[in-house]
Amino acid sequence: MSSEPVATILTIDDEDVIRRSFQAYLEDSGFQVLQAQNGRIGLDVFREHHPDIILVDLRMPEMDGLEVLATVVREAPEVPIIVVSGTGMIQDAIEALRLGAWDYVLKPVEDLGILEHSVRRALERTKLIKENKAYRENLENLVRRRTSELHDRTLQLEETNQRLHTEIDERKVAEAKYRSIFENAIEGIFQVDHMGKLVSANPAMARILGYPSMQELMGESRDFCSRLCDAPGMKEKFFRVLKDHGSVQALEIQTFRQDGQPMWGSVNAHLVTGKTGETVHFEGTLEDISDHKRFEEQLLHQSLHDALTGLPNRALFTDRLSQAISRCSRQNSFFALLYLDVDRFKVINDSLGHALGDQFLIQLAERLRACTREADTLARLGGDEFAVISEQVRSLSAATMVAERILEEMRAPFVIEGREIYSTVSIGIICCTGYCGSAEEVLRDADLTMYRAKSNGKARYEVFDNALHEQTIKLLTMETELRRAMARGEFELHYQPIVDVDTGSVMCLEALIRWKHPERGYTPPLDFIPLAEENGLIVPLGWWVLEESCRQLALFQARFPRPKPLTMSVNISAKQFSQADLGQKLKALLQSSNIVPGSLELEITESVIMDRGEAAIGRLEELKSLGLRLFVDDFGTGYSSLSYLHRFPIDMLKIDRSFIREIDATGGHTEIVRAIVGLGRNLGLGLIAEGVETEAQLAVIRTLGCQLAQGYLFSKPKPAAEIEEYLAQHND
Ligand code: C2E
Ligand code: CA
Ligand code: CA
C-alpha cells in the first residue's frame, strides 16, 4: 500500500521471552526488529544500525535503561525511545520521561497492540517532527537565502544610493556651473521649440536684442526665428542650412534691436532630435557682432574711398564700371564715362604747396559733385584724375552737356587761403552701348581721349571714337615696340648723296633713319616717325640720329679730306624743333664731335616753320648762331608766306619730290619748279631738287639753274659702308 520503507525497531531487554514476543508481534505488523539483551549491546546496535525507534527495558544488568536512554537522547535526540518497564517503578518512568523518553509501556505487556500503537504513534510523531523539521529547515534556508539576498540587495542599493548621491552632488556642482555660464555668458543662449517658440534664453539674449528684461523677451509674441532673422530671405536660409547640415555655424544675421536699432549677430545653432529622429527643438547662441561689422564696414569704406575727398577710389570705381558694363551689355543700355584731368595741376601744386594743393582738390571734388547726379559714380582715380560714370544720361549729347557744365563750373576761381586760383580740366568722354570691352579697356580709352583733349589745347572735352581707338591701339603697340627697339639698338642710319648737278660730285649726305625690325625687317620711317612724333619718342630717337650722323660724318671727313668738306643733313621733327633745350644740346654735340665746323645741316619741313610763324624766326636764329646750316625740307607743300620767308635765316630750299616727279620726259610741267627756283634765287637761297630719278628730270633742273640734286638717279639711301664706296668713286 505505501512505499514507505519498513521502520526498524530496536528492542533492548534482558528477558528473551519478552524480546521474542515483541519481535514476533511487531514483525507480523510489518516492522523490522533488531534485538539486544542489554544496554551496552543495545547502544552498539543502535550506533551501527540507526533504528527508527528503540524499545528499552529500564531494569537490566550492567547498564540500565535510563543510562541507555540518556546516551541515545544525547547522541540522537530525534530517535524516539519507548520505555518498557514493570509496575511499581513509577519514579523511574517519570525520570525516563524527564530524560527524554517518548512513551511508557507497562510490563508485562498483556496487549501487544498497545505496544504497537505506541510504536506507531511515536513513529508518526517522529515523522511529523522530521517533516516539521525539514519544513522548518527549508523555511529557514529560504529565509536565510532571502535574507542573504536581501542583504546583498541592500548592499547594492546602498552602493547605488551612494553613487547616486555622488552623482547628484556632481550634477549640482555642474549645474551650478552651467547655470552660472548660462546666466553670465556674453553670448545669448537660446532654445527654440519646433514651432519656433522661444522656450529658454539667458539674460544676455535679452540684453543683445535690447529687451529690458528676460520676461519681456520670453513674452515676445512673434516667433523667435522671424524675430532673429529679420532681413528678407534670412529665415529661409537659416532653416535650409539647419536642415541640410543639422547645424548652422557663425551665420551672420541682420536684425533690429527692440529699440529699432539695426544690429548684426552671429548665430550658432543645432537641431536636437528625439529618439525617432523628429525635431524636438533647436538651441544655440547669438553673438552681437555689430561693432565688429561696423569696424569691417569702416575698413571696407576706407579701402574703397579716397581719404582726401571722400570720393570712391579707383578700386571701387573700376568695380562700379564693371557692373555698368555688364548691365549695359545685358540690357543693351547706355552709359557715359567722363575722364577728367586737371590741366597744369603740377604748377598749382608746386606753387601752392601740397597742403593747399589738397585744398584745391577738395574744392574741385565738390564742384564736380555739384555737376553730377546722385546716382552717378564720381571717383578720384588718383592724383588730379577724376572720373564719372553716368547711367542717367541717355545720349552722347547729354554726356557732352555734363562735360560742358563741368568746364563752365571751372571758370570761377578757386579761393584757397584768400588766393584766387584759376584752373581748367581736360575731359575725355566715352559712351558705351551693348558690350564695350573690359573696365580696363574702357578706362584706358577714356584716358586716351582725355589725353587727346589735352593735346588739342586743354580746357576742353573730346569724345572717344573708334577710329581714334584703333589709331591709339596701333600707337600703343608701336610705342612699346619703339621703346624696345631703342633699348635694343634696332635703328640704323642710311645715307643718300646730294650731288652737284654739273660735276656729279657728292656735296652732302642726308641721314635717313631705318628701323631694322626683328620680324618685319626694314620698316620705312614714314611708318613710325609720325607715331614717334606723337608720343614724344622722336626726341630721344632724334638725338640718337644726330649723334650717330655726326659720328659717321667725322669718319667720312677723315677718310675723304677735301678743300670743301663733305656735309651731312639731318631731319629735325616738329617736336624736336620745339624742344626748349634744342640749341643748348646741339651746341654740346657740336663741341664733342669731331666734324668740321659748319658741316652739319638741319632739315626742317616747310610746314613746321610756317606753323610757328614769328616764333620760328627766333629758333632758327639760335640754330644759325651755332654755325648750323638750315634747309627747308619738302618746300612747296607748306604754303609759305613770302613775307616770312625772306626773314627766315635759312640756307637752302629742298624742292619737294612731288614737283620733280611732274617733270615728264619731254620736259613739260616745269612751271612750279621754275617758280621755286626763281624765288630761291631772289632770296639768295641754295636749291636742292629732291627725288631726281631720270636723266630728263636732271636735265630740266640743271637748265632751270638748280645746283644740287638728290635722288635714285644718283643713289638710293644706303648703309654707311656702301655709301663709303660711292664716295670713293665720286670724290673730287
Ligand atoms: P624726306 O626728308 O623728304 O626724305 C627724303 C625721302 O625721299 C626719303 O624717304 C628718301 O628715301 C626718298 N627719296 C629720295 N630720292 C628718291 C627718289 O628718287 N625717288 C623716290 N621715290 N624717293 C626718293 P625715306 O627715307 O623713306 O624717309 C621718308 C621721310 O621720313 C623723310 O622724308 C623724313 O621726313 C622722314 N625721316 C627720315 N629719317 C628721319 C630722321 O632721322 N628724323 C626725322 N625727323 N625724320 C626722318
Ligand atoms: Ca629730308
Ligand atoms: Ca624732303
Side-chain angles (χ1 to χ4, degrees), residues 630-644:
L630 304 174
F631 294 1
V632 180
D633 205 354
D634 303 343
F635 190 80
T637 58
Y639 309 102
S640 283
S641 150
L642 288 176
S643 61
Y644 275 137

Side-chain angles (χ1 to χ4, degrees), residues 224-260:
F224 184 68
C225 298
S226 308
R227 170 74 185 79
L228 208 56
C229 307
D230 223 11
M234 189 55 95
K235 186 178 165 190
E236 291 68 26
K237 181 178 175 192
F238 178 82
F239 277 111
R240 197 176 53 245
V241 177
L242 197 61
K243 217 177 115 221
D244 292 354
H245 304 284
S247 69
V248 293
Q249 262 150 30
L251 179 76
E252 292 190 349
I253 54 130
Q254 207 178 0
T255 184
F256 289 90
R257 286 166 52 89
Q258 202 48 15
D259 59 8

Side-chain angles (χ1 to χ4, degrees), residues 494-499 506 509-510 512 514 691-693 709-719 722-727 730:
H494 284 193
Y495 304 93
Q496 190 178 31
I498 296 172
V499 304
V506 181
L509 293 173
E510 180 178 5
L512 293 160
R514 296 292 178 266
V692 178
E693 295 185 352
Q710 174 183 7
Y712 292 174
L713 180 63
F714 312 103
S715 167
K716 286 195 168 184
K718 284 175 180 166
E722 288 173 42
I723 277 300
E724 193 169 333
E725 281 172 34
Y726 186 89
L727 285 174
H730 301 83

Side-chain angles (χ1 to χ4, degrees), residues 484-542:
R484 202 179 48 203
M486 283 187 58
R488 291 180 181 173
E490 285 171 11
F491 296 102
E492 50 184 72
L493 290 182
H494 284 193
Y495 304 93
Q496 190 178 31
I498 296 172
V499 304
D500 187 307
V501 293
D502 294 325
T503 64
S505 67
V506 181
M507 306 308 293
C508 172
L509 293 173
E510 180 178 5
L512 293 160
I513 194 167
R514 296 292 178 266
W515 179 5
K516 208 171 164 189
H517 193 280
E519 288 120 40
R520 289 195 296 268
Y522 279 115
T523 304
L526 287 177
D527 281 6
F528 65 89
I529 291 291
L531 296 175
E533 176 83 14
E534 192 141 347
N535 62 30
L537 270 175
I538 192 70
V539 177
L541 194 60

Side-chain angles (χ1 to χ4, degrees), residues 239-303:
F239 277 111
R240 197 176 53 245
V241 177
L242 197 61
K243 217 177 115 221
D244 292 354
H245 304 284
S247 69
V248 293
Q249 262 150 30
L251 179 76
E252 292 190 349
I253 54 130
Q254 207 178 0
T255 184
F256 289 90
R257 286 166 52 89
Q258 202 48 15
D259 59 8
Q261 285 287 312
M263 65 156 285
W264 279 93
S266 168
V267 177
N268 285 293
H270 63 265
L271 278 178
V272 178
T273 47
K275 284 198 187 84
T276 55
E278 82 286 1
T279 301
V280 178
H281 60 251
F282 62 87
E283 57 194 18
T285 60
L286 170 72
E287 195 188 340
D288 186 354
I289 55 166
S290 305
D291 285 346
H292 177 78
K293 272 278 165 190
R294 255 194 299 283
F295 185 58
E296 223 177 69
E297 271 162 22
Q298 236 170 48
L299 277 184
L300 188 69
H301 183 89
Q302 275 167 20
S303 73

Side-chain angles (χ1 to χ4, degrees), residues 141-298:
N141 275 340
L142 195 70
V143 169
R144 213 175 297 118
R145 215 168 55 233
R146 282 285 155 83
T147 310
S148 133
E149 274 174 15
L150 209 67
H151 182 73
D152 289 353
R153 216 49 212 121
T154 311
L155 276 181
Q156 269 178 20
L157 272 175
E158 269 169 10
E159 233 171 73
T160 312
N161 219 11
Q162 189 54 46
R163 230 177 22 237
L164 275 176
H165 272 297
T166 327
E167 239 166 68
I168 287 169
D169 285 349
E170 282 171 4
R171 282 206 186 171
K172 271 188 186 154
V173 171
E175 208 204 84
K177 204 165 78 192
Y178 290 129
R179 177 127 305 265
S180 161
I181 293 173
F182 183 76
E183 297 289 337
N184 300 312
I186 302 167
E187 293 100 28
I189 303 172
F190 61 87
Q191 214 171 49
V192 175
D193 71 12
H194 68 289
M195 301 292 287
K197 172 122 187 66
L198 188 62
V199 283
S200 154
N202 68 343
M205 195 75 202
R207 196 180 59 239
I208 290 172
L209 291 174
Y211 289 87
S213 72
M214 279 284 294
Q215 287 67 31
E216 265 151 292
L217 169 64
M218 297 303 292
E220 174 65 64
S221 57
R222 259 181 302 172
D223 97 79
F224 184 68
C225 298
S226 308
R227 170 74 185 79
L228 208 56
C229 307
D230 223 11
M234 189 55 95
K235 186 178 165 190
E236 291 68 26
K237 181 178 175 192
F238 178 82
F239 277 111
R240 197 176 53 245
V241 177
L242 197 61
K243 217 177 115 221
D244 292 354
H245 304 284
S247 69
V248 293
Q249 262 150 30
L251 179 76
E252 292 190 349
I253 54 130
Q254 207 178 0
T255 184
F256 289 90
R257 286 166 52 89
Q258 202 48 15
D259 59 8
Q261 285 287 312
M263 65 156 285
W264 279 93
S266 168
V267 177
N268 285 293
H270 63 265
L271 278 178
V272 178
T273 47
K275 284 198 187 84
T276 55
E278 82 286 1
T279 301
V280 178
H281 60 251
F282 62 87
E283 57 194 18
T285 60
L286 170 72
E287 195 188 340
D288 186 354
I289 55 166
S290 305
D291 285 346
H292 177 78
K293 272 278 165 190
R294 255 194 299 283
F295 185 58
E296 223 177 69
E297 271 162 22
Q298 236 170 48

Side-chain angles (χ1 to χ4, degrees), residues 211-463:
Y211 289 87
S213 72
M214 279 284 294
Q215 287 67 31
E216 265 151 292
L217 169 64
M218 297 303 292
E220 174 65 64
S221 57
R222 259 181 302 172
D223 97 79
F224 184 68
C225 298
S226 308
R227 170 74 185 79
L228 208 56
C229 307
D230 223 11
M234 189 55 95
K235 186 178 165 190
E236 291 68 26
K237 181 178 175 192
F238 178 82
F239 277 111
R240 197 176 53 245
V241 177
L242 197 61
K243 217 177 115 221
D244 292 354
H245 304 284
S247 69
V248 293
Q249 262 150 30
L251 179 76
E252 292 190 349
I253 54 130
Q254 207 178 0
T255 184
F256 289 90
R257 286 166 52 89
Q258 202 48 15
D259 59 8
Q261 285 287 312
M263 65 156 285
W264 279 93
S266 168
V267 177
N268 285 293
H270 63 265
L271 278 178
V272 178
T273 47
K275 284 198 187 84
T276 55
E278 82 286 1
T279 301
V280 178
H281 60 251
F282 62 87
E283 57 194 18
T285 60
L286 170 72
E287 195 188 340
D288 186 354
I289 55 166
S290 305
D291 285 346
H292 177 78
K293 272 278 165 190
R294 255 194 299 283
F295 185 58
E296 223 177 69
E297 271 162 22
Q298 236 170 48
L299 277 184
L300 188 69
H301 183 89
Q302 275 167 20
S303 73
L304 294 176
H305 289 79
D306 167 43
L308 183 66
T309 60
L311 293 177
N313 63 10
R314 182 179 282 269
L316 180 54
F317 184 81
T318 312
D319 187 57
R320 297 260 175 91
L321 177 56
S322 302
Q323 288 173 22
I325 289 171
S326 71
R327 258 195 303 278
C328 183
S329 68
R330 238 187 1 256
Q331 303 158 3
N332 207 29
S333 53
F334 183 97
F335 77 87
L337 190 155
L338 278 70
Y339 198 109
L340 289 91
D341 189 286
V342 179
D343 299 325
R344 287 177 282 264
F345 177 66
K346 201 174 139 33
V347 178
I348 296 176
N349 222 14
D350 289 351
S351 57
L352 295 181
H354 276 280
L356 298 190
D358 283 354
Q359 286 304 311
F360 167 78
L361 289 173
I362 292 170
Q363 287 190 23
L364 173 63
E366 271 158 25
R367 287 195 194 183
L368 293 177
R369 208 179 269 130
C371 294
T372 54
R373 301 182 208 196
E374 193 67 32
D376 296 347
T377 298
L378 168 65
R380 180 180 175 212
L381 302 185
D384 59 341
E385 290 181 11
F386 293 81
V388 184
I389 302 170
S390 180
E391 292 178 88
Q392 307 297 308
V393 302
R394 300 260 175 254
S395 64
L396 172 59
S397 60
T400 57
M401 271 166 66
V402 176
E404 271 157 17
R405 197 158 62 236
I406 292 172
L407 294 174
E408 187 60 40
E409 268 300 303
M410 295 299 291
R411 281 190 215 286
F414 290 80
V415 182
I416 295 163
E417 298 225 321
R419 287 168 69 178
E420 286 195 347
I421 287 148
Y422 287 89
S423 177
T424 56
V425 292
S426 295
I427 306 172
I429 303 175
I430 180 165
C431 292
C432 298
T433 43
Y435 181 71
C436 46
S438 70
E440 287 71 29
E441 286 165 344
V442 172
L443 257 183
R444 183 202 58 204
D445 288 344
D447 186 5
L448 286 168
T449 313
M450 181 279 294
Y451 187 75
R452 186 105 183 156
K454 269 204 194 296
S455 51
N456 285 352
K458 304 194 175 75
R460 67 178 63 217
Y461 66 83
E462 287 293 332
V463 177

